Amino acid sequence: MSDNKNSTDAPDTGHVWDDNLRELTNQPPRWWIITFYLGAVFIIGYLVLYPSIPLVNGSTKGVLGWTQMKRLQASVEELDAIRKPFEDKLKGMSAQAVLDDRELSNYVVRSAKVLFGDRCAACHGTGGAGNPGYPILADDDWLYGGNIDTIQQTITNGRTGLMPAFKDNVSEQELDDLAKHILALSQGSEHAAGKELYNSKGCFGCHGMEAKGVEMMGGANFTDTIWRFAPGTEESIKYTITNGVNAPGNDATRIAIMPVFKEQLTETEIKKLAVYVHKLGGGQ
Ligand code: HEC
Ligand code: HEC
């Protein structure tokens, strides 16, 4: 580009085609040569300083002694140093106090996310979105209650909702009326005969006079469209009434067991999870 040489002066290899087509031996441009030698110097430097040349077992070590493990160790130490003040503070605080501390609760949510993924998501879904047969945690519909202390209790001691199987206590007609009533409740109305049975058969004891659920008993709320046992059709409602929930001695019963975590997790981990679940959106 810079030197517009007359091609007749340029050195050539002596090869000529078609009378005048010569193969020239021009030097590459200067900048190219410099970059080429700099590259070579860099490579030699790198080979000396870092592990690089593959050997039969492993590779050359490099004079700096750099290893991936050391690098990892350094980042873990760095992270621990960032976490420590938060972790120390957490130990002496109640879950409610953590929730009230914005900075701390933000930290806890980030740290509990992984824990939730490992320990809870298999049943409750990623981010508490729920799985068939397991309650959604990311809504404001609670079986046992959504205040922070109740959530902490649930994780610590587990929950086993109990509903007897009514198969020997209700006739075919009664079962039909009860199911119709419960379905009607979820649509904002009622079914007269079923409503009477709801009271006379003692359903209100766990599901409440208003059918919104009694939190102490873990009874489901019937006045919303969230079903614990999908799909929430008349058939599936009848199945629950017939076979109960965790009903002893009935193989066909619905199973609903929230495991006990007090031996598997530390108190701090449970505290973090309680804050995390509360902040999923439905905490009260
Ligand atoms: C083996 C499955 C399983 C695992 C694992 C599990 N849960 Fe549960 N969880 C359940 C079931 C089932 C229920 C409902 C219990 C009932 O209906 O009586 C429940 C209920 C709950 C509730 C009460 C919901 C409400 O509406 O009141 C909370 C809170 C909860 N789980 C949090 C957690 C957390 C946090 C973890 C992880 C440490 C976890 N669960 C792990 C199955 C599980
Ligand atoms: C001793 C307490 C108790 C009594 C009495 C009781 N239930 Fe339940 N019921 C529960 C519990 C606990 C659950 C499950 C909640 C959970 O774990 O998700 C449940 C669940 C249900 C469900 C499933 C709801 C859903 O969202 O899928 C239906 C339907 C139901 N009960 C109907 C009835 C009817 C009808 C009666 C009266 C004939 C009755 N229950 C009496 C405790 C009770």
Side-chain angles (χ1 to χ4, degrees), residues 217-250:
M217 310 303 289
N221 180 353
F222 295 138
T223 63
D224 58 24
T225 51
I226 299 168
W227 295 98
R228 262 295 272 121
F229 305 109
T233 53
E234 210 172 298
E235 263 332 283
S236 79
I237 294 169
K238 280 183 180 174
Y239 188 95
T240 309
I241 301 172
T242 309
N243 295 301
V245 179
N246 298 322
N250 178 6

PDB file of all heavy atoms in Angstrom, residues 217-250:
ATOM      1  N   MET A 217     -55.882 -26.811  61.536  1.00  0.00           N
ATOM      2  CA  MET A 217     -56.105 -28.180  61.078  1.00  0.00           C
ATOM      3  C   MET A 217     -55.526 -28.433  59.692  1.00  0.00           C
ATOM      4  O   MET A 217     -55.498 -29.566  59.227  1.00  0.00           O
ATOM      5  CB  MET A 217     -57.613 -28.493  61.038  1.00  0.00           C
ATOM      6  CG  MET A 217     -58.375 -28.142  62.297  1.00  0.00           C
ATOM      7  SD  MET A 217     -57.707 -28.963  63.748  1.00  0.00           S
ATOM      8  CE  MET A 217     -58.218 -30.648  63.413  1.00  0.00           C
ATOM      9  N   GLY A 218     -55.131 -27.388  59.023  1.00  0.00           N
ATOM     10  CA  GLY A 218     -54.591 -27.549  57.670  1.00  0.00           C
ATOM     11  C   GLY A 218     -55.661 -27.845  56.624  1.00  0.00           C
ATOM     12  O   GLY A 218     -55.348 -28.229  55.505  1.00  0.00           O
ATOM     13  N   GLY A 219     -56.941 -27.667  56.997  1.00  0.00           N
ATOM     14  CA  GLY A 219     -58.031 -27.926  56.048  1.00  0.00           C
ATOM     15  C   GLY A 219     -57.988 -26.940  54.881  1.00  0.00           C
ATOM     16  O   GLY A 219     -57.671 -25.773  55.064  1.00  0.00           O
ATOM     17  N   ALA A 220     -58.287 -27.439  53.684  1.00  0.00           N
ATOM     18  CA  ALA A 220     -58.195 -26.589  52.498  1.00  0.00           C
ATOM     19  C   ALA A 220     -59.318 -25.550  52.472  1.00  0.00           C
ATOM     20  O   ALA A 220     -60.372 -25.741  53.058  1.00  0.00           O
ATOM     21  CB  ALA A 220     -58.252 -27.467  51.255  1.00  0.00           C
ATOM     22  N   ASN A 221     -59.039 -24.447  51.790  1.00  0.00           N
ATOM     23  CA  ASN A 221     -60.025 -23.395  51.541  1.00  0.00           C
ATOM     24  C   ASN A 221     -60.826 -23.802  50.303  1.00  0.00           C
ATOM     25  O   ASN A 221     -60.247 -24.131  49.274  1.00  0.00           O
ATOM     26  CB  ASN A 221     -59.248 -22.096  51.281  1.00  0.00           C
ATOM     27  CG  ASN A 221     -60.153 -20.910  50.997  1.00  0.00           C
ATOM     28  OD1 ASN A 221     -61.366 -21.057  50.855  1.00  0.00           O
ATOM     29  ND2 ASN A 221     -59.562 -19.735  50.905  1.00  0.00           N
ATOM     30  N   PHE A 222     -62.173 -23.773  50.420  1.00  0.00           N
ATOM     31  CA  PHE A 222     -62.972 -24.182  49.257  1.00  0.00           C
ATOM     32  C   PHE A 222     -63.487 -22.991  48.465  1.00  0.00           C
ATOM     33  O   PHE A 222     -64.099 -23.150  47.420  1.00  0.00           O
ATOM     34  CB  PHE A 222     -64.189 -25.008  49.703  1.00  0.00           C
ATOM     35  CG  PHE A 222     -63.804 -26.318  50.332  1.00  0.00           C
ATOM     36  CD1 PHE A 222     -64.474 -26.778  51.475  1.00  0.00           C
ATOM     37  CD2 PHE A 222     -62.799 -27.102  49.791  1.00  0.00           C
ATOM     38  CE1 PHE A 222     -64.132 -27.983  52.050  1.00  0.00           C
ATOM     39  CE2 PHE A 222     -62.458 -28.316  50.364  1.00  0.00           C
ATOM     40  CZ  PHE A 222     -63.126 -28.752  51.500  1.00  0.00           C
ATOM     41  N   THR A 223     -63.274 -21.779  48.983  1.00  0.00           N
ATOM     42  CA  THR A 223     -63.893 -20.621  48.332  1.00  0.00           C
ATOM     43  C   THR A 223     -62.991 -19.995  47.271  1.00  0.00           C
ATOM     44  O   THR A 223     -63.270 -18.908  46.794  1.00  0.00           O
ATOM     45  CB  THR A 223     -64.275 -19.545  49.376  1.00  0.00           C
ATOM     46  OG1 THR A 223     -63.070 -19.080  49.993  1.00  0.00           O
ATOM     47  CG2 THR A 223     -65.212 -20.096  50.425  1.00  0.00           C
ATOM     48  N   ASP A 224     -61.885 -20.660  46.958  1.00  0.00           N
ATOM     49  CA  ASP A 224     -61.043 -20.166  45.866  1.00  0.00           C
ATOM     50  C   ASP A 224     -60.944 -21.238  44.789  1.00  0.00           C
ATOM     51  O   ASP A 224     -61.502 -22.323  44.938  1.00  0.00           O
ATOM     52  CB  ASP A 224     -59.655 -19.763  46.382  1.00  0.00           C
ATOM     53  CG  ASP A 224     -58.950 -20.924  47.060  1.00  0.00           C
ATOM     54  OD1 ASP A 224     -59.287 -22.085  46.758  1.00  0.00           O
ATOM     55  OD2 ASP A 224     -58.058 -20.682  47.893  1.00  0.00           O
ATOM     56  N   THR A 225     -60.221 -20.955  43.754  1.00  0.00           N
ATOM     57  CA  THR A 225     -60.139 -21.934  42.655  1.00  0.00           C
ATOM     58  C   THR A 225     -58.812 -22.693  42.683  1.00  0.00           C
ATOM     59  O   THR A 225     -58.416 -23.302  41.707  1.00  0.00           O
ATOM     60  CB  THR A 225     -60.293 -21.227  41.300  1.00  0.00           C
ATOM     61  OG1 THR A 225     -59.372 -20.140  41.286  1.00  0.00           O
ATOM     62  CG2 THR A 225     -61.693 -20.718  41.093  1.00  0.00           C
ATOM     63  N   ILE A 226     -58.104 -22.612  43.846  1.00  0.00           N
ATOM     64  CA  ILE A 226     -56.839 -23.353  43.964  1.00  0.00           C
ATOM     65  C   ILE A 226     -57.140 -24.722  44.562  1.00  0.00           C
ATOM     66  O   ILE A 226     -57.672 -24.815  45.673  1.00  0.00           O
ATOM     67  CB  ILE A 226     -55.848 -22.589  44.857  1.00  0.00           C
ATOM     68  CG1 ILE A 226     -55.554 -21.225  44.232  1.00  0.00           C
ATOM     69  CG2 ILE A 226     -54.564 -23.395  45.063  1.00  0.00           C
ATOM     70  CD1 ILE A 226     -54.825 -20.278  45.153  1.00  0.00           C
ATOM     71  N   TRP A 227     -56.831 -25.765  43.816  1.00  0.00           N
ATOM     72  CA  TRP A 227     -57.102 -27.125  44.287  1.00  0.00           C
ATOM     73  C   TRP A 227     -55.823 -27.784  44.733  1.00  0.00           C
ATOM     74  O   TRP A 227     -54.828 -27.752  44.021  1.00  0.00           O
ATOM     75  CB  TRP A 227     -57.777 -27.950  43.189  1.00  0.00           C
ATOM     76  CG  TRP A 227     -59.128 -27.410  42.866  1.00  0.00           C
ATOM     77  CD1 TRP A 227     -59.438 -26.580  41.842  1.00  0.00           C
ATOM     78  CD2 TRP A 227     -60.320 -27.598  43.617  1.00  0.00           C
ATOM     79  NE1 TRP A 227     -60.771 -26.250  41.902  1.00  0.00           N
ATOM     80  CE2 TRP A 227     -61.340 -26.857  42.980  1.00  0.00           C
ATOM     81  CE3 TRP A 227     -60.642 -28.318  44.787  1.00  0.00           C
ATOM     82  CZ2 TRP A 227     -62.658 -26.821  43.462  1.00  0.00           C
ATOM     83  CZ3 TRP A 227     -61.951 -28.280  45.251  1.00  0.00           C
ATOM     84  CH2 TRP A 227     -62.931 -27.536  44.601  1.00  0.00           C
ATOM     85  N   ARG A 228     -55.858 -28.385  45.902  1.00  0.00           N
ATOM     86  CA  ARG A 228     -54.698 -29.130  46.376  1.00  0.00           C
ATOM     87  C   ARG A 228     -54.556 -30.414  45.587  1.00  0.00           C
ATOM     88  O   ARG A 228     -53.471 -30.856  45.296  1.00  0.00           O
ATOM     89  CB  ARG A 228     -54.869 -29.449  47.870  1.00  0.00           C
ATOM     90  CG  ARG A 228     -54.173 -28.515  48.789  1.00  0.00           C
ATOM     91  CD  ARG A 228     -52.658 -28.595  48.622  1.00  0.00           C
ATOM     92  NE  ARG A 228     -52.092 -29.624  49.480  1.00  0.00           N
ATOM     93  CZ  ARG A 228     -51.414 -30.649  49.034  1.00  0.00           C
ATOM     94  NH1 ARG A 228     -51.244 -30.824  47.759  1.00  0.00           N
ATOM     95  NH2 ARG A 228     -50.902 -31.523  49.881  1.00  0.00           N
ATOM     96  N   PHE A 229     -55.699 -30.997  45.308  1.00  0.00           N
ATOM     97  CA  PHE A 229     -55.664 -32.264  44.585  1.00  0.00           C
ATOM     98  C   PHE A 229     -56.342 -32.072  43.234  1.00  0.00           C
ATOM     99  O   PHE A 229     -57.566 -32.092  43.140  1.00  0.00           O
ATOM    100  CB  PHE A 229     -56.311 -33.377  45.427  1.00  0.00           C
ATOM    101  CG  PHE A 229     -55.663 -33.497  46.784  1.00  0.00           C
ATOM    102  CD1 PHE A 229     -56.325 -33.101  47.931  1.00  0.00           C
ATOM    103  CD2 PHE A 229     -54.352 -33.946  46.897  1.00  0.00           C
ATOM    104  CE1 PHE A 229     -55.710 -33.179  49.180  1.00  0.00           C
ATOM    105  CE2 PHE A 229     -53.737 -34.024  48.134  1.00  0.00           C
ATOM    106  CZ  PHE A 229     -54.411 -33.637  49.279  1.00  0.00           C
ATOM    107  N   ALA A 230     -55.492 -31.845  42.247  1.00  0.00           N
ATOM    108  CA  ALA A 230     -55.978 -31.548  40.908  1.00  0.00           C
ATOM    109  C   ALA A 230     -56.758 -32.753  40.381  1.00  0.00           C
ATOM    110  O   ALA A 230     -56.519 -33.870  40.828  1.00  0.00           O
ATOM    111  CB  ALA A 230     -54.801 -31.228  40.008  1.00  0.00           C
ATOM    112  N   PRO A 231     -57.675 -32.553  39.455  1.00  0.00           N
ATOM    113  CA  PRO A 231     -57.976 -31.278  38.787  1.00  0.00           C
ATOM    114  C   PRO A 231     -59.093 -30.469  39.449  1.00  0.00           C
ATOM    115  O   PRO A 231     -59.480 -29.443  38.889  1.00  0.00           O
ATOM    116  CB  PRO A 231     -58.396 -31.743  37.388  1.00  0.00           C
ATOM    117  CG  PRO A 231     -59.002 -33.097  37.606  1.00  0.00           C
ATOM    118  CD  PRO A 231     -58.336 -33.691  38.809  1.00  0.00           C
ATOM    119  N   GLY A 232     -59.623 -30.899  40.589  1.00  0.00           N
ATOM    120  CA  GLY A 232     -60.692 -30.118  41.205  1.00  0.00           C
ATOM    121  C   GLY A 232     -62.025 -30.284  40.485  1.00  0.00           C
ATOM    122  O   GLY A 232     -62.854 -29.387  40.485  1.00  0.00           O
ATOM    123  N   THR A 233     -62.207 -31.451  39.887  1.00  0.00           N
ATOM    124  CA  THR A 233     -63.513 -31.754  39.272  1.00  0.00           C
ATOM    125  C   THR A 233     -64.378 -32.449  40.319  1.00  0.00           C
ATOM    126  O   THR A 233     -63.887 -32.821  41.395  1.00  0.00           O
ATOM    127  CB  THR A 233     -63.338 -32.742  38.103  1.00  0.00           C
ATOM    128  OG1 THR A 233     -62.614 -33.871  38.604  1.00  0.00           O
ATOM    129  CG2 THR A 233     -62.553 -32.112  36.970  1.00  0.00           C
ATOM    130  N   GLU A 234     -65.646 -32.655  39.992  1.00  0.00           N
ATOM    131  CA  GLU A 234     -66.541 -33.337  40.917  1.00  0.00           C
ATOM    132  C   GLU A 234     -65.963 -34.715  41.264  1.00  0.00           C
ATOM    133  O   GLU A 234     -66.010 -35.139  42.411  1.00  0.00           O
ATOM    134  CB  GLU A 234     -67.920 -33.485  40.258  1.00  0.00           C
ATOM    135  CG  GLU A 234     -69.035 -33.481  41.276  1.00  0.00           C
ATOM    136  CD  GLU A 234     -70.400 -33.430  40.603  1.00  0.00           C
ATOM    137  OE1 GLU A 234     -70.670 -32.439  39.903  1.00  0.00           O
ATOM    138  OE2 GLU A 234     -71.172 -34.396  40.782  1.00  0.00           O
ATOM    139  N   GLU A 235     -65.397 -35.376  40.254  1.00  0.00           N
ATOM    140  CA  GLU A 235     -64.808 -36.707  40.451  1.00  0.00           C
ATOM    141  C   GLU A 235     -63.680 -36.665  41.472  1.00  0.00           C
ATOM    142  O   GLU A 235     -63.619 -37.461  42.405  1.00  0.00           O
ATOM    143  CB  GLU A 235     -64.220 -37.222  39.116  1.00  0.00           C
ATOM    144  CG  GLU A 235     -65.094 -38.145  38.297  1.00  0.00           C
ATOM    145  CD  GLU A 235     -66.076 -38.948  39.107  1.00  0.00           C
ATOM    146  OE1 GLU A 235     -65.638 -39.933  39.740  1.00  0.00           O
ATOM    147  OE2 GLU A 235     -67.278 -38.603  39.106  1.00  0.00           O
ATOM    148  N   SER A 236     -62.751 -35.717  41.302  1.00  0.00           N
ATOM    149  CA  SER A 236     -61.589 -35.684  42.194  1.00  0.00           C
ATOM    150  C   SER A 236     -61.992 -35.238  43.601  1.00  0.00           C
ATOM    151  O   SER A 236     -61.410 -35.674  44.593  1.00  0.00           O
ATOM    152  CB  SER A 236     -60.454 -34.829  41.609  1.00  0.00           C
ATOM    153  OG  SER A 236     -60.691 -33.467  41.791  1.00  0.00           O
ATOM    154  N   ILE A 237     -63.017 -34.404  43.688  1.00  0.00           N
ATOM    155  CA  ILE A 237     -63.518 -33.997  45.007  1.00  0.00           C
ATOM    156  C   ILE A 237     -64.131 -35.214  45.720  1.00  0.00           C
ATOM    157  O   ILE A 237     -63.879 -35.466  46.895  1.00  0.00           O
ATOM    158  CB  ILE A 237     -64.557 -32.856  44.863  1.00  0.00           C
ATOM    159  CG1 ILE A 237     -63.867 -31.594  44.323  1.00  0.00           C
ATOM    160  CG2 ILE A 237     -65.249 -32.575  46.189  1.00  0.00           C
ATOM    161  CD1 ILE A 237     -64.816 -30.499  43.906  1.00  0.00           C
ATOM    162  N   LYS A 238     -64.901 -35.980  44.957  1.00  0.00           N
ATOM    163  CA  LYS A 238     -65.519 -37.182  45.535  1.00  0.00           C
ATOM    164  C   LYS A 238     -64.444 -38.160  46.019  1.00  0.00           C
ATOM    165  O   LYS A 238     -64.600 -38.796  47.052  1.00  0.00           O
ATOM    166  CB  LYS A 238     -66.395 -37.882  44.481  1.00  0.00           C
ATOM    167  CG  LYS A 238     -67.759 -37.250  44.303  1.00  0.00           C
ATOM    168  CD  LYS A 238     -68.542 -38.084  43.297  1.00  0.00           C
ATOM    169  CE  LYS A 238     -69.926 -37.509  43.057  1.00  0.00           C
ATOM    170  NZ  LYS A 238     -70.607 -38.244  41.974  1.00  0.00           N
ATOM    171  N   TYR A 239     -63.387 -38.246  45.260  1.00  0.00           N
ATOM    172  CA  TYR A 239     -62.304 -39.162  45.637  1.00  0.00           C
ATOM    173  C   TYR A 239     -61.716 -38.762  46.995  1.00  0.00           C
ATOM    174  O   TYR A 239     -61.505 -39.606  47.868  1.00  0.00           O
ATOM    175  CB  TYR A 239     -61.198 -39.150  44.566  1.00  0.00           C
ATOM    176  CG  TYR A 239     -60.156 -40.214  44.815  1.00  0.00           C
ATOM    177  CD1 TYR A 239     -60.243 -41.452  44.191  1.00  0.00           C
ATOM    178  CD2 TYR A 239     -59.099 -39.986  45.697  1.00  0.00           C
ATOM    179  CE1 TYR A 239     -59.309 -42.439  44.425  1.00  0.00           C
ATOM    180  CE2 TYR A 239     -58.151 -40.966  45.943  1.00  0.00           C
ATOM    181  CZ  TYR A 239     -58.253 -42.195  45.311  1.00  0.00           C
ATOM    182  OH  TYR A 239     -57.333 -43.174  45.550  1.00  0.00           O
ATOM    183  N   THR A 240     -61.493 -37.461  47.164  1.00  0.00           N
ATOM    184  CA  THR A 240     -60.929 -36.986  48.441  1.00  0.00           C
ATOM    185  C   THR A 240     -61.880 -37.278  49.592  1.00  0.00           C
ATOM    186  O   THR A 240     -61.466 -37.762  50.647  1.00  0.00           O
ATOM    187  CB  THR A 240     -60.628 -35.471  48.386  1.00  0.00           C
ATOM    188  OG1 THR A 240     -59.857 -35.187  47.221  1.00  0.00           O
ATOM    189  CG2 THR A 240     -59.869 -35.017  49.622  1.00  0.00           C
ATOM    190  N   ILE A 241     -63.172 -36.990  49.377  1.00  0.00           N
ATOM    191  CA  ILE A 241     -64.142 -37.211  50.458  1.00  0.00           C
ATOM    192  C   ILE A 241     -64.220 -38.709  50.799  1.00  0.00           C
ATOM    193  O   ILE A 241     -64.222 -39.098  51.962  1.00  0.00           O
ATOM    194  CB  ILE A 241     -65.545 -36.676  50.070  1.00  0.00           C
ATOM    195  CG1 ILE A 241     -65.469 -35.178  49.756  1.00  0.00           C
ATOM    196  CG2 ILE A 241     -66.545 -36.924  51.205  1.00  0.00           C
ATOM    197  CD1 ILE A 241     -66.754 -34.601  49.175  1.00  0.00           C
ATOM    198  N   THR A 242     -64.247 -39.529  49.783  1.00  0.00           N
ATOM    199  CA  THR A 242     -64.347 -40.978  49.998  1.00  0.00           C
ATOM    200  C   THR A 242     -63.137 -41.525  50.743  1.00  0.00           C
ATOM    201  O   THR A 242     -63.256 -42.292  51.690  1.00  0.00           O
ATOM    202  CB  THR A 242     -64.439 -41.713  48.631  1.00  0.00           C
ATOM    203  OG1 THR A 242     -65.469 -41.098  47.881  1.00  0.00           O
ATOM    204  CG2 THR A 242     -64.734 -43.184  48.816  1.00  0.00           C
ATOM    205  N   ASN A 243     -61.931 -41.093  50.304  1.00  0.00           N
ATOM    206  CA  ASN A 243     -60.699 -41.733  50.809  1.00  0.00           C
ATOM    207  C   ASN A 243     -59.913 -40.927  51.839  1.00  0.00           C
ATOM    208  O   ASN A 243     -58.965 -41.435  52.426  1.00  0.00           O
ATOM    209  CB  ASN A 243     -59.796 -42.082  49.632  1.00  0.00           C
ATOM    210  CG  ASN A 243     -60.450 -43.134  48.747  1.00  0.00           C
ATOM    211  OD1 ASN A 243     -60.762 -44.225  49.210  1.00  0.00           O
ATOM    212  ND2 ASN A 243     -60.713 -42.786  47.513  1.00  0.00           N
ATOM    213  N   GLY A 244     -60.287 -39.669  52.037  1.00  0.00           N
ATOM    214  CA  GLY A 244     -59.607 -38.855  53.047  1.00  0.00           C
ATOM    215  C   GLY A 244     -58.196 -38.459  52.647  1.00  0.00           C
ATOM    216  O   GLY A 244     -57.744 -38.727  51.530  1.00  0.00           O
ATOM    217  N   VAL A 245     -57.520 -37.808  53.584  1.00  0.00           N
ATOM    218  CA  VAL A 245     -56.149 -37.356  53.371  1.00  0.00           C
ATOM    219  C   VAL A 245     -55.291 -37.916  54.497  1.00  0.00           C
ATOM    220  O   VAL A 245     -55.622 -37.716  55.671  1.00  0.00           O
ATOM    221  CB  VAL A 245     -56.077 -35.809  53.363  1.00  0.00           C
ATOM    222  CG1 VAL A 245     -54.641 -35.341  53.165  1.00  0.00           C
ATOM    223  CG2 VAL A 245     -56.988 -35.216  52.292  1.00  0.00           C
ATOM    224  N   ASN A 246     -54.250 -38.635  54.151  1.00  0.00           N
ATOM    225  CA  ASN A 246     -53.398 -39.313  55.138  1.00  0.00           C
ATOM    226  C   ASN A 246     -54.242 -40.149  56.107  1.00  0.00           C
ATOM    227  O   ASN A 246     -53.896 -40.267  57.289  1.00  0.00           O
ATOM    228  CB  ASN A 246     -52.559 -38.316  55.949  1.00  0.00           C
ATOM    229  CG  ASN A 246     -51.585 -37.511  55.077  1.00  0.00           C
ATOM    230  OD1 ASN A 246     -51.006 -38.030  54.137  1.00  0.00           O
ATOM    231  ND2 ASN A 246     -51.406 -36.239  55.408  1.00  0.00           N
ATOM    232  N   ALA A 247     -55.351 -40.675  55.625  1.00  0.00           N
ATOM    233  CA  ALA A 247     -56.254 -41.420  56.500  1.00  0.00           C
ATOM    234  C   ALA A 247     -55.637 -42.773  56.830  1.00  0.00           C
ATOM    235  O   ALA A 247     -55.305 -43.534  55.921  1.00  0.00           O
ATOM    236  CB  ALA A 247     -57.614 -41.604  55.814  1.00  0.00           C
ATOM    237  N   PRO A 248     -55.482 -43.049  58.124  1.00  0.00           N
ATOM    238  CA  PRO A 248     -54.809 -44.298  58.503  1.00  0.00           C
ATOM    239  C   PRO A 248     -55.626 -45.507  58.033  1.00  0.00           C
ATOM    240  O   PRO A 248     -56.854 -45.474  58.036  1.00  0.00           O
ATOM    241  CB  PRO A 248     -54.756 -44.239  60.034  1.00  0.00           C
ATOM    242  CG  PRO A 248     -55.390 -42.962  60.455  1.00  0.00           C
ATOM    243  CD  PRO A 248     -55.959 -42.273  59.264  1.00  0.00           C
ATOM    244  N   GLY A 249     -54.929 -46.541  57.617  1.00  0.00           N
ATOM    245  CA  GLY A 249     -55.581 -47.795  57.253  1.00  0.00           C
ATOM    246  C   GLY A 249     -56.305 -47.774  55.926  1.00  0.00           C
ATOM    247  O   GLY A 249     -56.999 -48.711  55.593  1.00  0.00           O
ATOM    248  N   ASN A 250     -56.163 -46.696  55.145  1.00  0.00           N
ATOM    249  CA  ASN A 250     -56.803 -46.671  53.838  1.00  0.00           C
ATOM    250  C   ASN A 250     -55.735 -46.478  52.748  1.00  0.00           C
ATOM    251  O   ASN A 250     -55.160 -45.399  52.612  1.00  0.00           O
ATOM    252  CB  ASN A 250     -57.823 -45.535  53.772  1.00  0.00           C
ATOM    253  CG  ASN A 250     -58.484 -45.443  52.413  1.00  0.00           C
ATOM    254  OD1 ASN A 250     -58.270 -46.292  51.545  1.00  0.00           O
ATOM    255  ND2 ASN A 250     -59.287 -44.410  52.232  1.00  0.00           N
TER     256      ASN A 250
END
